[in-house]
């Protein structure tokens, strides 16, 4: 792109070509306009060091009530996104994070590994009989659906709806959101919120029925410094858990397998050396991060070295741009499943570092590692289709064959 075109870039005017392949544009921005101010006064950062500095600063705020008020108006989407953990700051953020953290302790995660292994092996047995299938619908979304349903105590009858809820709610966070997508997001918050309210009422009445590893009871009865979650906070943070633990993990699995299919030398290397699965997952998180863009509001002036962002600046952190910064990553456009170290920002950092990062890595390693080992003749079987979101990167369809 020309310097003039790059200078005019605006997240509010992106098209499908950018969504499908944002990386050349982000590279040009990082080289020519690493601190890029857009028409509305907000700033897009594409350098790793700048994004990291934003994430590490306690003065960079996650509360976006003003921004969400303008974007969503009064209604379910505003209620959800202004109440959930990820878009709040201490002290509320501290309370909710401490309550949720009990579900992600090393002991709890160790208890969940056999469950994850069992789900993966059952799915692989079913896929072996199919031969050809859409990897997203038949595999990538099944594991996180089962896990998050287990954690929230969601009955099987509701599970097929979870990805639709998640995509509708997360899709409303994109820089450009058409009215029909906003309407779908409002409806998803309302419908899933009603289901969760019923589940919460049932668990209050029958606490003895909670399964080992279920987080719902902990959220209901837990307290931090005498502070319990209100009913609204309970519902909205359970929706947050769905979104954080479902769609991004679906995309992690799908994106990793798509990356390997696009780079058959790396797929063959992983099949020869299955011990590389951990670094393969990290490389996928770097080159195809499920979360592409983050946001913060500058609570005070932020010195980036070559410029200062004044207090009140609305900041977009380009995780996708930072993860391909040559100042941090050697040959950043090259896929290398042996890459070490790999200081990507897929899970952000600082006080908002992804609470479920360890669980996501476990799911990704078990799902992808067992899949490519079980099916050595894995191949693409038709055109793949991306979800079409700018903030979240993942596939709607990924047809494959295993014979």
């Amino acid at each position: 792109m020309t310097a003039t075109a790059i200078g005019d870039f605006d997240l509010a005017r992106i098209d499908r070509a950018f969504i499908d392949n944002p990386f050349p544009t982000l590279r040009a921005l990082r080289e020519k306009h690493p601190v890029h101010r857009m028409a509305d006064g907000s700033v897009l950062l594409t350098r790793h060091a700048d994004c990291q500095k934003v994430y590490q600063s306690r003065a960079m705020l996650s509360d976006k009530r003003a921004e969400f008020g303008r974007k969503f108006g009064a209604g379910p989407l505003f209620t959800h996104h202004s109440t959930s953990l990820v878009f709040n700051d201490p002290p509320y953020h501290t309370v909710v994070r401490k309550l949720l953290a009990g579900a992600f302790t090393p002991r709890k995660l160790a208890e969940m590994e056999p469950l994850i292994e069992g789900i993966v092996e059952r799915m692989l047995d079913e896929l072996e009989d199919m031969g050809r299938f859409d990897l997203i619908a038949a595999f990538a979304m099944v594991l996180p659906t089962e896990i998050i349903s287990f954690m929230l105590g969601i009955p099987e009858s509701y599970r097929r709806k979870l990805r639709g809820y998640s995509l509708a709610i997360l899709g409303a966070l994109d820089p450009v959101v058409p009215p029909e997508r906003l309407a779908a997001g409002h409806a998803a918050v309302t419908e899933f919120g009603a289901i969760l309210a019923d589940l919460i009422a049932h668990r209050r009445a029958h606490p003895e029925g909670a399964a080992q590893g279920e987080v719902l009871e902990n959220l209901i009865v837990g307290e931090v410094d005498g502070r319990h979650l209100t009913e609204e906070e309970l519902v909205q943070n359970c929706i947050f858990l769905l979104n954080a633990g479902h769609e991004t993990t679906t995309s992690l699995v799908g994106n990793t397998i798509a990356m390997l299919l696009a780079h058959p030398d790396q797929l063959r290397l992983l099949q020869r050396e299955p011990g590389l699965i951990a670094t393969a997952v990290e490389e996928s998180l770097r080159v195809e991060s499920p979360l592409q863009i983050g946001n913060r509001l500058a609570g005070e002036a932020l010195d980036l070295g070559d410029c200062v962002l004044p207090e009140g600046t609305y900041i977009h952190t380009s995780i996708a741009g930072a993860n391909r910064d040559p100042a941090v990553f050697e040959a950043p456009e090259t896929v290398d499943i042996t890459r070490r170290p790999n200081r990507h920002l897929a899970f952000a950092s600082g006080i908002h570092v992804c609470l479920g990062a360890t669980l996501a890595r476990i799911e990704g390693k078990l799902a992808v590692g067992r899949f490519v080992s079980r099916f050595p003749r894995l191949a693409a079987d038709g055109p793949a289709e991306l979800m079409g979101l700018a903030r979240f990167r993942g596939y709607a369809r990924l047809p494959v064959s295993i014979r």
Side-chain angles (χ1 to χ4, degrees):
M1 296 181 69
T2 65
T4 301
I6 284 296
D8 290 339
F9 177 81
D10 199 320
L11 282 173
R13 300 198 306 269
I14 56 175
D15 56 15
R16 184 59 194 249
F18 174 82
I19 290 173
D20 286 347
N21 184 18
F23 307 111
T25 300
L26 295 174
R27 181 172 65 249
L29 282 165
R30 193 175 54 243
E31 293 171 354
K32 303 293 184 181
H33 294 265
V35 182
H36 181 71
R37 190 169 295 276
M38 292 174 286
D40 63 358
S42 66
V43 169
L44 175 65
L45 304 180
T46 47
R47 292 184 299 208
H48 189 282
D50 293 343
C51 293
Q52 180 78 308
K53 191 162 190 175
V54 168
Y55 287 140
Q56 291 293 328
S57 172
R58 293 288 187 101
M60 299 299 107
L61 307 177
S62 288
D63 187 320
K64 300 180 182 66
R65 283 175 173 80
E67 171 70 14
F68 288 158
R70 289 190 294 270
K71 185 168 189 173
F72 302 135
L77 280 170
F78 178 81
T79 298
H80 169 65
H81 287 304
S82 62
T83 308
S84 68
L85 171 71
V86 70
F87 293 124
N88 276 280
D89 301 301
Y92 175 72
H93 173 271
T94 305
V95 171
V96 178
R97 191 173 177 98
K98 284 183 177 179
L99 289 173
L100 292 177
F104 299 97
T105 63
R107 183 176 63 83
K108 289 288 187 183
L109 294 175
E111 290 174 357
M112 292 185 72
E113 277 210 51
L115 172 68
I116 296 170
E117 290 174 347
I119 294 170
V120 170
E121 291 303 324
R122 172 175 56 79
M123 288 191 294
L124 295 178
D125 289 343
E126 293 172 357
L127 294 176
E128 192 162 29
D129 294 333
M130 295 169 65
R132 302 171 62 195
F133 46 86
D134 171 16
L135 183 124
I136 303 302
F139 184 66
M141 66 177 261
V142 178
L143 175 61
T145 297
E146 293 291 318
I147 296 302
I148 200 64
S149 296
F150 170 75
M151 294 178 72
L152 294 178
I154 296 174
E156 190 169 351
S157 57
Y158 293 123
R159 294 179 188 180
R160 61 182 177 81
K161 298 182 177 182
L162 294 187
R163 193 179 193 219
Y165 292 146
S166 186
L167 283 175
I169 296 167
L170 292 177
L173 292 171
D174 248 25
V176 181
V177 186
E180 60 272 19
R181 190 182 291 170
L182 280 178
H186 286 306
V189 173
T190 299
E191 187 174 337
F192 190 46
I195 292 170
L196 285 167
D198 286 345
L199 293 175
I200 289 166
H202 178 79
R203 184 57 70 235
R204 284 191 193 278
H206 304 282
E208 72 285 352
Q212 186 178 28
E214 183 184 302
V215 72
L216 191 58
E217 186 185 18
N218 292 344
L219 290 174
I220 291 170
V221 304
E223 64 176 77
V224 175
D225 298 329
R227 166 79 154 85
H228 294 269
L229 294 182
T230 67
E231 198 73 9
E232 187 74 83
E233 291 168 347
L234 270 171
V235 168
Q236 301 308 329
N237 280 290
C238 285
I239 293 177
F240 159 72
L241 277 177
L242 163 72
N243 295 337
H246 182 275
E247 186 50 45
T248 50
T249 304
T250 296
S251 294
L252 170 58
V253 174
N255 292 358
T256 304
I257 293 176
M259 178 190 76
L260 293 169
L261 287 169
H263 299 85
D265 61 320
Q266 300 295 293
L267 173 58
R268 291 191 296 270
L269 175 59
L270 181 58
Q271 289 173 328
R272 289 196 308 269
E273 300 184 38
L276 291 173
I277 185 58
T279 50
V281 167
E282 297 304 312
E283 184 69 340
S284 172
L285 286 164
R286 184 186 73 83
V287 301
E288 296 279 0
S289 176
L291 177 62
Q292 297 272 292
I293 305 170
N295 298 102
R296 295 290 188 272
L297 179 67
E300 63 181 36
L302 180 68
D303 188 350
L304 297 178
D306 52 3
C307 70
V308 176
L309 300 183
E311 179 181 350
T313 302
Y314 192 72
I315 302 168
H316 307 270
T317 53
S318 175
I319 295 168
N323 282 353
R324 297 185 183 216
D325 188 341
V328 177
F329 305 99
E330 183 179 353
E333 303 299 328
T334 299
V335 173
D336 177 7
I337 66 168
T338 70
R339 187 183 297 272
R340 286 180 184 273
N342 196 335
R343 297 187 293 274
H344 63 75
L345 296 179
F347 294 122
S349 64
I351 66 169
H352 284 281
V353 66
C354 178
L355 190 61
T358 300
L359 177 58
R361 285 179 164 114
I362 291 171
E363 291 182 74
K365 287 188 290 187
L366 286 173
V368 176
R370 300 284 177 87
F371 186 90
V372 300
S373 176
R374 180 81 165 262
F375 304 127
R377 300 182 68 181
L378 170 67
D381 190 41
E385 178 186 343
L386 287 164
M387 293 188 300
L389 300 177
R391 185 178 296 273
F392 298 93
R393 188 167 182 83
Y395 288 85
R397 293 181 65 254
L398 185 60
V400 299
S401 65
I402 57 173
R403 293 177 180 165

